[in-house]
Amino acid sequence: MDNGIKIDTLIVNASELVTLDTYGGRVPFHGKKMSEIGIIENGAVAISGEEIAAYGGTHDLLSELEIAGDTRITDAKNRTVTPGLIDPHTHPIFAGTRELEFAMRIRGKSYMEIAAAGGGILNTAKKTREMTLEDMTSVSAPFLDRMLSHGTTTIEAKSGYGLSTEAELTMLLAIRYLNQIKRIDLIPTFLGAHEFPAEYRGGGEDDYIDLIIEKMLPIVAERKLARFCDVFCEVGVFDIEQTRKICLAAKELGLKIKLHADEIEPMGGAELGVELGATSVDHIVEISPGGIAAVAGSSTIATLLPGTSLFLGKGKFAPARDLIDSGAIVALATDFNPGSSPTTNLPMIMSLGCVAMKMTPDEVLAATTLNAAFAVSQGEKVGSITVGKQADIVVWDVPNHNLIPYFYGESLSSIVIKKGKIAWRKD
Ligand code: NIG
Ligand code: FE
């Protein structure tokens, strides 16, 4: 292939190169297609600048490519190569930790009981409101480094612990700043409707919704501080009508929609997401059969968060099998946050997807790469080893992709490449 493209990096001899490029990488995998992940044995990938320039079998690629003297060659013998993982639901900016609530839950209190007593999101919001932009970035940065070390190269990042105009904007500015200074990409989501702040409870709820619609959303849209607007649509938090009102206002301003839906009680959040043309409906542990059918017949992605089910000790997980078998597009995420899922480890979530939700290792890989890319509207750019896409790639210390979720709780990434450059490596 002498087409003048300079190859900067060449990864060769991968025992498995998993491309997720079966359908050209520009459409997500629906339902059973999630198993068609595209495996090349003894595979190779060529990177030019920030992009994937070519891929194929090692012998073919080596005979086709012009290798320059300064091409960096990585031998991936006995290792697996995949696209960088994408975590499409995280809350990475917050003050403090909530281990006391963790202990209370172990002793029998529920997540909602703790929230009603002033714990939960409001507990974190009280302290996060006091943080400066500098505090937020310095507290969050180490978590982002941990995500990168687990093979995650793009995340969605939500505000939602400010719950005032100023504090929500500071959170979104911190996300923007972190996106500039860290190797990992952050896709920002405005979550002003995460909870009613203390000063609006007991009668002022409508005023808070007005504040979101009339003040916060216009500034967020005008300053392009977020790509998505999300709402915690749940019994005792934002009801269906309040959620619809906020989302319609956000759509009017050009924001895309995500919902925390049907997590604790079934209330038609998934159906509302489909009606609104949401990019994703997330959690959906309690989704109804009608909700499953609605999501399966739509392009709204079901983003499942099994780490949250595990950590809240509920013993109930989202119906991943029913969703996939009905034809839905399923993605997986950590839901990284201090209350319900304090983990940065997306491969661990893949293990939970397999063990607790009966997804196959092929499906959990599709759910954390290409489908997750579409869940953050980045499917044109990342999520698969596709010629022309950004070179976000992970080399794993295992000879096949089934072993990534198999060794649960382990960190098996050995090299993480972001935009063509090594962003993290073991040792
Ligand atoms: O996705 N469910 C609402 N929001 C988060 C939890 C936030 C918190 O407890 O601080 C979630 O689980
Ligand atoms: Fe969440």
Side-chain angles (χ1 to χ4, degrees), residues 60-190:
D60 292 347
L61 216 65
L62 284 176
S63 62
E64 285 168 15
L65 291 176
E66 288 281 314
I67 314 284
D70 58 352
T71 299
R72 171 202 290 271
I73 297 183
T74 297
D75 186 2
K77 190 165 185 286
N78 291 328
R79 297 193 279 175
T80 299
V81 174
T82 71
L85 302 184
I86 293 160
D87 191 342
H89 182 136
T90 84
H91 308 247
I93 297 188
F94 51 83
T97 45
R98 304 225 299 267
E99 63 278 22
L100 295 180
E101 294 180 11
F102 173 53
M104 283 164 82
R105 275 201 310 280
I106 292 166
R107 281 190 242 103
K109 285 258 180 287
S110 77
Y111 179 78
M112 285 317 225
E113 280 166 349
I114 293 167
I121 294 165
L122 289 187
N123 180 357
T124 298
K126 216 186 304 158
K127 298 182 219 137
T128 307
R129 282 176 163 192
E130 305 299 315
M131 292 173 109
T132 62
L133 190 141
E134 217 170 56
D135 296 335
M136 289 181 188
T137 53
S138 60
V139 167
S140 180
F143 293 128
L144 303 183
D145 292 339
R146 266 147 69 175
M147 289 174 173
L148 192 71
S149 76
H150 292 303
T152 303
T153 48
T154 299
I155 64 167
E156 181 254 15
K158 301 177 196 292
S159 67
Y161 290 119
L163 309 182
S164 70
T165 307
E166 197 192 333
E168 284 295 309
L169 293 177
T170 308
M171 288 191 77
L172 290 171
L173 285 169
I175 292 168
R176 175 182 281 179
Y177 181 60
L178 286 162
N179 186 49
Q180 285 162 3
I181 62 167
K182 304 302 288 183
R183 303 303 296 271
I184 197 164
D185 281 334
L186 292 89
I187 312 296
T189 293
F190 169 66

Side-chain angles (χ1 to χ4, degrees), residues 76 82 86 133 209 227 282 384:
T82 71
I86 293 160
L133 190 141
I209 292 174
R227 191 76 60 86
D282 300 24
S384 60

Side-chain angles (χ1 to χ4, degrees), residues 89 91 158 191 194 230 260 283 305 335 337 340:
H89 182 136
H91 308 247
K158 301 177 196 292
L191 181 55
H194 197 189
D230 190 351
H260 281 69
H283 284 290
L305 312 169
D335 192 18
N337 76 74
S340 66

